[in-house]
Amino acid sequence: MNKNVKVQVTHLTKKFGELLVLNDVSFDVYDGEFLCIVGPTGCGKTTFLNSLTHLYEPTSGEILFKGEKIDLRKHDIAYIFQEYSAMEWLTVKENVRFGLELKKQYKGINEKVKDALELVGLTKFADYYPRQLSASMLQRVVIARAFATQPELLLMDEPYGQLDINLRFRLEDEVVRLCKQTKTTVIFITHNIEEAVYLGDRILVLTNKPTSIKEIVTDELPHPRDIAAPEFVEMRNRITDLIKWW
Amino acid sequence: MSKKNQRARALAYGGGTFLLLLFLWEILVRMTDSQIPFPTPFAVIERFVDMLFHNVGYYYTIVGHVLWSLSRVLAGFCMAAVLGIVLGLTMGWFPYVRAIFMPIFNLLRPIAPLAWIPLAILWFGIGEKYKYFLIFIAAFVPFTLNSYAGATHVDKQLVGAAKMLGANNAQVFFEIVVPAAVPSIFSGAQVALSNSWMTMLAAEMVCATEGIGWIIIAGQAVNDMTQMIAGMLAIGIVGFLLANGMRLLERRCLVWNNQGN
Ligand SMILES: Nc1ncnc2c1ncn2[C@@H]1O[C@H](COP(=O)(O)OP(=O)(O)OP(=O)(O)O)[C@@H](O)[C@H]1O
Ligand SMILES: [Mg+2]
């Protein structure tokens, strides 16, 4: 893997009033890598992504994307929120088109939308409205919308929390394949350690609040990974031990 | 029980109660010894049908009068819709618009449309403009309030998602805030429409030479209770049709908001 730095986080600190959430966090994300972030619940994982995308302003420190301050209108970044964010007044298909239309990427838009819907298995539901879908289908709409824009950096905040196990495996494999194929850099947040070990090139383990980096584990097991393999289990256990905070 | 059965049953109950009321009315009229002749339901319906084909006053049948009234409601309602929706949405989304207009709006809001009648007549005379103005006031408040509520309650998650996808401020407003507020605007429109309908009657009763409100006042002038009640019947029927028309329009426009079909 080439080691060009894509995202550079330096001395990132975030306080909500008196509550210190992120405490002087520094790390790099390399070009094309799949970085998983795991940590105890409430440790500030979502806060980190929100700071990265300027939904929140960091209290201090800096996050650079390809050496520049992040500008969502200039950089192709997709962010899949922990909660659903499908537009209720648009059909599934229109939701997927939405991002492309905002960026005026009309070239090949129909194919892109079709591919994205196929990827998440929603082709048959293209003309449904979000109200008519189940929770897991809603999340797939959002995933399709993100993938359709072919982002350079894909941020995912526990995107599969609500999905059933089969679909989860299928989408995880797809995500890895797609990201490798398109050389997308991914920051993937989860509190499911198995998922992190299954997906990540590196796994960043966070401590409890005030949050700092406990360790960065490099995961070089070959894809597709076997969750029953001894190396896999060993790594999973190691990270589980790291994350215990009591 | 099947849906059809349920419907038939509701219809039977509703219709039955209605017929019973008419029957009671008829009986009471026959038993009363009031000096003023009180019309029976049959007389009212007969007069109503008569009004459909013969002029009330010199110029119009009741249909003509209804059209006059509707034209006034439509004019005031549409002006209020345009201004109210624009003001409400922008106040709801842009803090500086809210800072500028909210205090004035809050001050004027509790003033009932009827309180404006004397001033409106002074300003606009007793012609059409005065009626448009009153109806405008009546519809403007619910339009503004509901658009405002719709814009303030937009799901921040969706706004965030749109920004993540690269939306600029104008796109956030037009692609997210506006569509998200539409259901709320429609419930405002329901209220605005019934307010307009009522205010129109008051405006016409104060001064008009045609319209449903005028029919009632003209009936009163000659002690013609049958005409007054027939006029009221027309108010009820048209008001009912308007409200249902609006509901139908809403269902058409808000397919995405209908659950379970
Ligand atoms: N807007 C906010 N204002 C105040 N406090 C906040 C805000 N957002 C998050 N916090 C606090 O910051 C801490 C971290 O929250 P965050 O949502 O980032 O955690 P998380 O790691 O994503 O948790 P989870 O695993 O449950 O998703 C929590 O204690 C939370 O209460
Ligand atoms: Mg979170």
Side-chain angles (χ1 to χ4, degrees), chain A residues 16 19 21 40-47 56 82 158 191 209:
Chain A
F16 289 109
L19 180 72
V21 178
T41 181
C43 75
K45 303 181 293 291
T46 302
T47 302
Y56 299 160
Q82 198 164 3
E158 299 191 25
H191 56 225
K209 271 193 306 261

Side-chain angles (χ1 to χ4, degrees), chain B residues 98-157:
Chain B
R98 184 175 342 169
I100 295 170
F101 290 108
M102 203 53 164
I104 313 175
F105 178 72
N106 274 335
L107 196 69
L108 296 182
R109 174 162 76 110
I111 304 175
L114 303 191
W116 289 91
I117 291 182
L119 257 191
I121 293 180
L122 267 185
W123 288 346
F124 299 106
I126 55 169
E128 293 304 297
K129 273 190 223 150
Y130 130 81
K131 300 177 187 81
Y132 295 166
F133 175 76
L134 283 187
I135 294 164
F136 168 82
I137 298 267
F140 179 70
V141 171
F143 262 124
T144 311
L145 280 180
N146 280 272
S147 311
Y148 174 79
T152 44
H153 292 145
V154 170
D155 187 352
K156 295 294 173 304
Q157 196 79 20

